[in-house]
Amino acid sequence: MHITLYIYGFAKQDSFYLVDVPTEAFGRLIRIPKSGSQVTLEGKESIHFNYVFLEDLMESNLQLIFPNERNLSSCKFRLTRNGEIAILMNESADFLYSVKKSLSTRKAGFPSRIEFERKVPELIREKIAAALGLPDYLTYEFDGPLGLVDLWQLLKINRPELKRQNFSTVFFTSFDS
């Protein structure tokens, strides 16, 4: 599942670019230090960070990607491809090799769903879905960020005070009043 920017508004009419957001190279969430630093109770200086989605960072800096263009607009979409892995058990004695081979073709699977941010114009949405051969019932709109599964990256932050404490279960013997 990749986030893609559809960039349009070039001087040449009917021009557009599809830019794949390079999440595999940089991760989806980009850490940016907050301005200033804070002093902890131990007297040590610690820097806190803000996090921004890579696609938002790219979208905010289109003039750096296309320096000779003005008045560019962009919108985001996420394409999900079929991830089925077909392995015949009697086909190969090397099961691990079969899995690796199937995973390598997974990115080229046929499109199975597309998600658009809500601001994507209907004409662009239809054009992209038609180019991929996706019917209306496999297209979705979202108000928030696409691909919220990437927020799991936040669990890797070393901030124990922000993580859930252990939960002690309570057993009730009766619900009678």
Side-chain angles (χ1 to χ4, degrees):
M1 294 177 277
H2 292 283
I3 307 289
T4 304
L5 292 178
Y6 180 92
I7 303 168
Y8 56 100
F10 292 91
K12 183 180 175 188
Q13 204 165 16
D14 294 330
S15 283
F16 66 91
Y17 281 95
L18 294 175
V19 178
D20 193 24
V21 177
T23 55
E24 290 161 352
F26 300 105
R28 176 100 186 277
L29 293 170
I30 304 299
R31 188 171 78 166
I32 301 171
K34 284 185 179 179
S35 60
S37 36
Q38 299 179 357
V39 178
T40 63
L41 293 175
E42 299 84 29
K44 296 180 181 176
E45 194 173 55
S46 70
I47 299 174
H48 290 274
F49 297 93
N50 288 320
Y51 290 84
V52 64
F53 286 110
L54 179 58
E55 63 269 18
D56 292 335
L57 189 63
M58 291 174 63
E59 198 170 35
S60 297
N61 292 285
L62 289 177
Q63 75 281 357
L64 297 174
I65 301 171
F66 300 99
N68 297 326
E69 296 291 337
R70 300 288 176 259
N71 302 320
L72 292 177
S73 296
S74 68
C75 49
K76 297 175 274 246
F77 68 93
R78 182 173 89 144
L79 177 64
T80 305
R81 294 185 178 275
N82 185 352
E84 290 183 16
I85 298 175
I87 299 173
L88 299 174
M89 293 305 291
N90 60 357
E91 178 184 280
S92 173
D94 189 354
F95 181 72
L96 185 59
Y97 172 77
S98 296
V99 170
K100 285 181 181 179
K101 183 178 170 189
S102 293
L103 287 174
S104 69
T105 62
R106 196 170 162 185
K107 289 183 182 179
F110 62 87
S112 59
R113 144 191 192 121
I114 192 164
E115 302 164 58
F116 294 99
E117 60 180 344
R118 194 167 302 274
K119 76 172 190 173
V120 176
E122 185 69 28
L123 179 66
I124 293 173
R125 199 176 314 147
E126 289 172 358
K127 184 189 288 189
I128 294 171
L132 294 168
L134 286 171
D136 287 343
Y137 68 90
L138 293 176
T139 63
Y140 301 88
E141 289 182 345
F142 286 93
D143 278 327
L146 300 170
L148 292 176
V149 70
D150 294 317
L151 291 177
W152 283 105
Q153 284 181 267
L154 295 174
L155 283 176
K156 295 177 184 175
I157 300 171
N158 188 17
R159 296 279 308 272
E161 72 275 12
L162 297 178
K163 296 182 182 172
R164 185 170 67 159
Q165 302 299 316
N166 289 335
F167 179 75
S168 300
T169 57
V170 176
F171 294 100
F172 294 98
T173 56
S174 173
F175 285 106
D176 297 337
S177 49

